[in-house]
Short mmCIF file of all heavy atoms in Angstrom, two decimals:
data_model
loop_
_atom_site.label_atom_id
_atom_site.label_comp_id
_atom_site.label_asym_id
_atom_site.label_seq_id
_atom_site.Cartn_x
_atom_site.Cartn_y
_atom_site.Cartn_z
N ALA A 1 11.25 8.06 4.46
CA ALA A 1 10.48 7.86 3.23
C ALA A 1 9.07 8.42 3.35
O ALA A 1 8.37 8.56 2.36
CB ALA A 1 10.40 6.36 2.91
N PHE A 2 8.70 8.79 4.57
CA PHE A 2 7.33 9.23 4.83
C PHE A 2 7.32 10.70 5.25
O PHE A 2 7.51 11.03 6.42
CB PHE A 2 6.68 8.34 5.89
CG PHE A 2 6.73 6.89 5.51
CD1 PHE A 2 7.71 6.05 6.03
CD2 PHE A 2 5.82 6.38 4.60
CE1 PHE A 2 7.76 4.71 5.66
CE2 PHE A 2 5.87 5.05 4.22
CZ PHE A 2 6.84 4.21 4.75
N GLN A 3 7.13 11.55 4.27
CA GLN A 3 7.11 12.98 4.51
C GLN A 3 6.38 13.65 3.34
O GLN A 3 6.06 13.01 2.35
CB GLN A 3 8.53 13.54 4.64
CG GLN A 3 9.44 13.21 3.48
CD GLN A 3 10.87 13.66 3.72
OE1 GLN A 3 11.11 14.67 4.37
NE2 GLN A 3 11.84 12.91 3.21
N GLY A 4 6.12 14.94 3.46
CA GLY A 4 5.40 15.64 2.40
C GLY A 4 3.98 15.12 2.26
O GLY A 4 3.21 15.08 3.23
N GLU A 5 3.61 14.69 1.05
CA GLU A 5 2.27 14.15 0.80
C GLU A 5 2.13 12.71 1.28
O GLU A 5 1.03 12.19 1.36
CB GLU A 5 1.95 14.22 -0.69
CG GLU A 5 1.83 15.64 -1.24
CD GLU A 5 1.43 15.65 -2.69
OE1 GLU A 5 1.28 14.55 -3.28
OE2 GLU A 5 1.26 16.74 -3.25
N ASN A 6 3.25 12.09 1.58
CA ASN A 6 3.23 10.69 2.01
C ASN A 6 3.21 10.62 3.53
O ASN A 6 4.23 10.42 4.18
CB ASN A 6 4.46 9.95 1.47
CG ASN A 6 4.39 8.45 1.68
OD1 ASN A 6 3.33 7.92 2.01
ND2 ASN A 6 5.50 7.79 1.49
N MET A 7 2.03 10.82 4.11
CA MET A 7 1.86 10.82 5.57
C MET A 7 0.84 9.76 5.96
O MET A 7 -0.37 10.03 6.03
CB MET A 7 1.41 12.20 6.04
CG MET A 7 2.43 13.31 5.75
SD MET A 7 3.98 13.09 6.65
CE MET A 7 3.44 13.41 8.32
N PRO A 8 1.28 8.52 6.18
CA PRO A 8 0.34 7.43 6.49
C PRO A 8 -0.42 7.67 7.79
O PRO A 8 0.06 8.36 8.70
CB PRO A 8 1.27 6.21 6.62
CG PRO A 8 2.52 6.60 5.93
CD PRO A 8 2.67 8.07 6.12
N LYS A 9 -1.60 7.07 7.88
CA LYS A 9 -2.42 7.15 9.07
C LYS A 9 -2.80 5.74 9.52
O LYS A 9 -3.33 4.95 8.73
CB LYS A 9 -3.68 7.97 8.81
CG LYS A 9 -4.58 8.10 10.04
CD LYS A 9 -5.83 8.91 9.74
CE LYS A 9 -6.72 9.00 10.99
NZ LYS A 9 -7.97 9.77 10.71
N LEU A 10 -2.56 5.44 10.78
CA LEU A 10 -2.91 4.14 11.34
C LEU A 10 -4.42 4.07 11.58
O LEU A 10 -5.01 4.97 12.18
CB LEU A 10 -2.16 3.92 12.67
CG LEU A 10 -2.48 2.63 13.42
CD1 LEU A 10 -2.07 1.41 12.62
CD2 LEU A 10 -1.79 2.64 14.79
N LEU A 11 -5.05 2.98 11.11
CA LEU A 11 -6.49 2.82 11.26
C LEU A 11 -6.86 1.77 12.30
O LEU A 11 -7.74 1.98 13.12
CB LEU A 11 -7.12 2.46 9.91
CG LEU A 11 -6.87 3.47 8.79
CD1 LEU A 11 -7.49 2.99 7.49
CD2 LEU A 11 -7.43 4.84 9.16
N TYR A 12 -6.22 0.62 12.25
CA TYR A 12 -6.46 -0.39 13.28
C TYR A 12 -5.32 -1.42 13.27
O TYR A 12 -4.56 -1.52 12.32
CB TYR A 12 -7.81 -1.09 13.10
CG TYR A 12 -8.00 -1.89 11.83
CD1 TYR A 12 -7.35 -3.10 11.59
CD2 TYR A 12 -8.88 -1.43 10.85
CE1 TYR A 12 -7.56 -3.82 10.45
CE2 TYR A 12 -9.10 -2.14 9.69
CZ TYR A 12 -8.44 -3.34 9.49
OH TYR A 12 -8.64 -4.05 8.33
N VAL A 13 -5.24 -2.15 14.37
CA VAL A 13 -4.32 -3.27 14.49
C VAL A 13 -5.12 -4.46 14.98
O VAL A 13 -5.93 -4.33 15.90
CB VAL A 13 -3.17 -2.96 15.48
CG1 VAL A 13 -2.21 -4.15 15.57
CG2 VAL A 13 -2.42 -1.71 15.08
N GLY A 14 -4.94 -5.61 14.36
CA GLY A 14 -5.69 -6.80 14.74
C GLY A 14 -4.79 -7.93 15.16
O GLY A 14 -3.63 -8.02 14.75
N LYS A 15 -5.33 -8.78 16.01
CA LYS A 15 -4.60 -9.97 16.46
C LYS A 15 -5.51 -11.18 16.35
O LYS A 15 -6.63 -11.16 16.87
CB LYS A 15 -4.13 -9.80 17.91
CG LYS A 15 -3.30 -10.96 18.44
CD LYS A 15 -2.78 -10.67 19.84
CE LYS A 15 -1.88 -11.76 20.37
NZ LYS A 15 -1.32 -11.42 21.72
N THR A 16 -5.06 -12.20 15.66
CA THR A 16 -5.84 -13.42 15.48
C THR A 16 -5.13 -14.58 16.15
O THR A 16 -4.01 -14.94 15.74
CB THR A 16 -6.02 -13.73 13.98
OG1 THR A 16 -6.65 -12.63 13.34
CG2 THR A 16 -6.88 -14.97 13.80
N ARG A 17 -5.74 -15.11 17.18
CA ARG A 17 -5.17 -16.30 17.82
C ARG A 17 -5.51 -17.53 17.00
O ARG A 17 -6.53 -17.55 16.30
CB ARG A 17 -5.70 -16.40 19.25
CG ARG A 17 -5.23 -15.23 20.11
CD ARG A 17 -5.85 -15.24 21.50
NE ARG A 17 -5.33 -14.10 22.28
CZ ARG A 17 -5.84 -12.89 22.25
NH1 ARG A 17 -6.89 -12.62 21.48
NH2 ARG A 17 -5.31 -11.92 22.97
N PRO A 18 -4.68 -18.58 17.06
CA PRO A 18 -4.89 -19.75 16.19
C PRO A 18 -6.29 -20.33 16.25
O PRO A 18 -6.83 -20.75 15.22
CB PRO A 18 -3.84 -20.74 16.71
CG PRO A 18 -2.74 -19.88 17.23
CD PRO A 18 -3.43 -18.69 17.85
N ALA A 19 -6.92 -20.34 17.42
CA ALA A 19 -8.25 -20.94 17.54
C ALA A 19 -9.29 -20.19 16.72
O ALA A 19 -10.35 -20.73 16.40
CB ALA A 19 -8.68 -20.96 19.01
N ALA A 20 -9.01 -18.95 16.35
CA ALA A 20 -9.97 -18.15 15.58
C ALA A 20 -10.08 -18.62 14.14
O ALA A 20 -10.94 -18.14 13.40
CB ALA A 20 -9.58 -16.68 15.62
N SER A 21 -9.24 -19.56 13.71
CA SER A 21 -9.35 -20.08 12.36
C SER A 21 -10.70 -20.73 12.12
O SER A 21 -11.13 -20.88 10.98
CB SER A 21 -8.23 -21.10 12.09
OG SER A 21 -6.96 -20.48 12.18
N ALA A 22 -11.37 -21.11 13.20
CA ALA A 22 -12.72 -21.67 13.07
C ALA A 22 -13.74 -20.60 12.69
O ALA A 22 -14.86 -20.91 12.29
CB ALA A 22 -13.13 -22.35 14.38
N HIS A 23 -13.37 -19.33 12.85
CA HIS A 23 -14.26 -18.20 12.53
C HIS A 23 -13.50 -17.24 11.62
O HIS A 23 -13.07 -16.17 12.04
CB HIS A 23 -14.72 -17.50 13.80
CG HIS A 23 -15.28 -18.43 14.82
ND1 HIS A 23 -16.49 -19.05 14.69
CD2 HIS A 23 -14.77 -18.86 16.01
CE1 HIS A 23 -16.72 -19.82 15.74
NE2 HIS A 23 -15.68 -19.72 16.55
N PRO A 24 -13.30 -17.61 10.34
CA PRO A 24 -12.38 -16.87 9.47
C PRO A 24 -12.89 -15.50 9.07
O PRO A 24 -14.09 -15.23 9.01
CB PRO A 24 -12.27 -17.79 8.25
CG PRO A 24 -13.57 -18.52 8.21
CD PRO A 24 -13.91 -18.75 9.66
N ARG A 25 -11.94 -14.61 8.77
CA ARG A 25 -12.22 -13.34 8.13
C ARG A 25 -12.12 -13.62 6.64
O ARG A 25 -11.02 -13.79 6.10
CB ARG A 25 -11.19 -12.31 8.58
CG ARG A 25 -11.39 -10.93 7.97
CD ARG A 25 -12.57 -10.21 8.62
NE ARG A 25 -12.58 -8.81 8.19
CZ ARG A 25 -13.26 -8.38 7.13
NH1 ARG A 25 -13.97 -9.22 6.41
NH2 ARG A 25 -13.23 -7.10 6.80
N ILE A 26 -13.26 -13.74 5.96
CA ILE A 26 -13.25 -14.30 4.62
C ILE A 26 -13.23 -13.22 3.54
O ILE A 26 -12.98 -12.06 3.82
CB ILE A 26 -14.42 -15.29 4.44
CG1 ILE A 26 -15.76 -14.56 4.57
CG2 ILE A 26 -14.32 -16.41 5.45
CD1 ILE A 26 -16.94 -15.46 4.26
N MET A 27 -13.52 -13.61 2.33
CA MET A 27 -13.34 -12.83 1.11
C MET A 27 -13.72 -11.35 1.26
O MET A 27 -14.88 -11.01 1.47
CB MET A 27 -14.19 -13.45 0.02
CG MET A 27 -13.80 -13.08 -1.38
SD MET A 27 -12.40 -14.06 -1.96
CE MET A 27 -13.13 -15.70 -2.09
N HIS A 28 -12.73 -10.46 1.14
CA HIS A 28 -13.01 -9.03 1.25
C HIS A 28 -11.85 -8.23 0.65
O HIS A 28 -10.80 -8.78 0.33
CB HIS A 28 -13.20 -8.62 2.71
CG HIS A 28 -11.98 -8.78 3.56
ND1 HIS A 28 -11.49 -10.03 3.93
CD2 HIS A 28 -11.13 -7.88 4.10
CE1 HIS A 28 -10.41 -9.87 4.66
NE2 HIS A 28 -10.16 -8.58 4.78
N SER A 29 -12.08 -6.94 0.47
CA SER A 29 -11.03 -6.03 0.04
C SER A 29 -11.22 -4.71 0.77
O SER A 29 -12.25 -4.48 1.41
CB SER A 29 -11.08 -5.81 -1.48
OG SER A 29 -12.28 -5.15 -1.85
N HIS A 30 -10.23 -3.84 0.68
CA HIS A 30 -10.30 -2.52 1.31
C HIS A 30 -10.04 -1.48 0.23
O HIS A 30 -8.97 -1.48 -0.40
CB HIS A 30 -9.26 -2.40 2.42
CG HIS A 30 -9.25 -3.57 3.36
ND1 HIS A 30 -10.24 -3.78 4.28
CD2 HIS A 30 -8.38 -4.61 3.49
CE1 HIS A 30 -9.98 -4.89 4.97
NE2 HIS A 30 -8.85 -5.41 4.50
N GLU A 31 -10.99 -0.60 0.01
CA GLU A 31 -10.90 0.31 -1.13
C GLU A 31 -10.09 1.57 -0.85
O GLU A 31 -9.62 2.21 -1.77
CB GLU A 31 -12.32 0.70 -1.58
CG GLU A 31 -13.14 -0.48 -2.08
CD GLU A 31 -12.42 -1.30 -3.16
OE1 GLU A 31 -11.82 -0.69 -4.08
OE2 GLU A 31 -12.44 -2.54 -3.07
N ASP A 32 -9.95 1.96 0.42
CA ASP A 32 -9.29 3.23 0.70
C ASP A 32 -8.15 3.11 1.71
O ASP A 32 -7.78 4.08 2.35
CB ASP A 32 -10.30 4.27 1.18
CG ASP A 32 -11.13 3.77 2.35
OD1 ASP A 32 -10.91 2.63 2.79
OD2 ASP A 32 -11.98 4.53 2.84
N PHE A 33 -7.60 1.93 1.88
CA PHE A 33 -6.39 1.76 2.69
C PHE A 33 -5.76 0.42 2.34
O PHE A 33 -6.36 -0.42 1.68
CB PHE A 33 -6.70 1.85 4.19
CG PHE A 33 -7.67 0.82 4.72
CD1 PHE A 33 -7.23 -0.44 5.12
CD2 PHE A 33 -9.02 1.12 4.84
CE1 PHE A 33 -8.12 -1.39 5.63
CE2 PHE A 33 -9.92 0.19 5.33
CZ PHE A 33 -9.47 -1.07 5.74
N LEU A 34 -4.51 0.24 2.77
CA LEU A 34 -3.84 -1.04 2.56
C LEU A 34 -3.78 -1.79 3.89
O LEU A 34 -3.90 -1.20 4.97
CB LEU A 34 -2.45 -0.86 1.96
CG LEU A 34 -1.34 -0.21 2.78
CD1 LEU A 34 -0.65 -1.19 3.72
CD2 LEU A 34 -0.29 0.41 1.85
N GLU A 35 -3.58 -3.09 3.79
CA GLU A 35 -3.51 -3.93 4.98
C GLU A 35 -2.28 -4.83 4.87
O GLU A 35 -1.95 -5.30 3.78
CB GLU A 35 -4.77 -4.78 5.12
CG GLU A 35 -4.85 -5.56 6.41
CD GLU A 35 -6.16 -6.31 6.56
OE1 GLU A 35 -6.46 -7.15 5.68
OE2 GLU A 35 -6.89 -6.08 7.53
N MET A 36 -1.61 -5.02 5.99
CA MET A 36 -0.51 -5.98 6.06
C MET A 36 -0.83 -7.03 7.12
O MET A 36 -1.40 -6.71 8.17
CB MET A 36 0.80 -5.27 6.41
CG MET A 36 1.32 -4.36 5.32
SD MET A 36 2.97 -3.70 5.65
CE MET A 36 2.61 -2.54 6.97
N VAL A 37 -0.46 -8.26 6.83
CA VAL A 37 -0.72 -9.38 7.74
C VAL A 37 0.60 -10.10 8.00
O VAL A 37 1.31 -10.46 7.05
CB VAL A 37 -1.75 -10.36 7.15
CG1 VAL A 37 -1.92 -11.58 8.06
CG2 VAL A 37 -3.09 -9.68 6.94
N LEU A 38 0.92 -10.31 9.27
CA LEU A 38 2.10 -11.09 9.65
C LEU A 38 1.64 -12.45 10.15
O LEU A 38 0.88 -12.55 11.11
CB LEU A 38 2.89 -10.37 10.76
CG LEU A 38 4.13 -11.12 11.25
CD1 LEU A 38 5.22 -11.13 10.17
CD2 LEU A 38 4.67 -10.51 12.54
N ILE A 39 2.09 -13.52 9.49
CA ILE A 39 1.76 -14.88 9.92
C ILE A 39 2.76 -15.27 11.02
O ILE A 39 3.97 -15.29 10.79
CB ILE A 39 1.85 -15.88 8.75
CG1 ILE A 39 0.98 -15.41 7.57
CG2 ILE A 39 1.43 -17.27 9.21
CD1 ILE A 39 -0.49 -15.32 7.85
#
């Protein structure tokens, strides 16, 4: 499904350990890429 003009680029990968909930990544958006989060 990814060919031609559809050539995604990886920007970063993040890992949040449960204890980090005390320091949340709060209200934000990304204007020039998409983000996926796995709980």
Side-chain angles (χ1 to χ4, degrees):
F2 304 99
Q3 55 186 326
E5 294 183 358
N6 189 13
M7 298 295 291
K9 180 180 179 181
L10 177 64
L11 302 178
Y12 63 72
V13 181
K15 183 176 184 177
T16 302
R17 296 174 179 85
S21 298
H23 309 288
R25 180 75 170 92
I26 63 174
M27 199 81 68
H28 65 289
S29 65
H30 312 287
E31 297 308 316
D32 54 359
F33 60 86
L34 68 83
E35 187 176 59
M36 291 188 289
V37 175
L38 179 70
I39 306 297

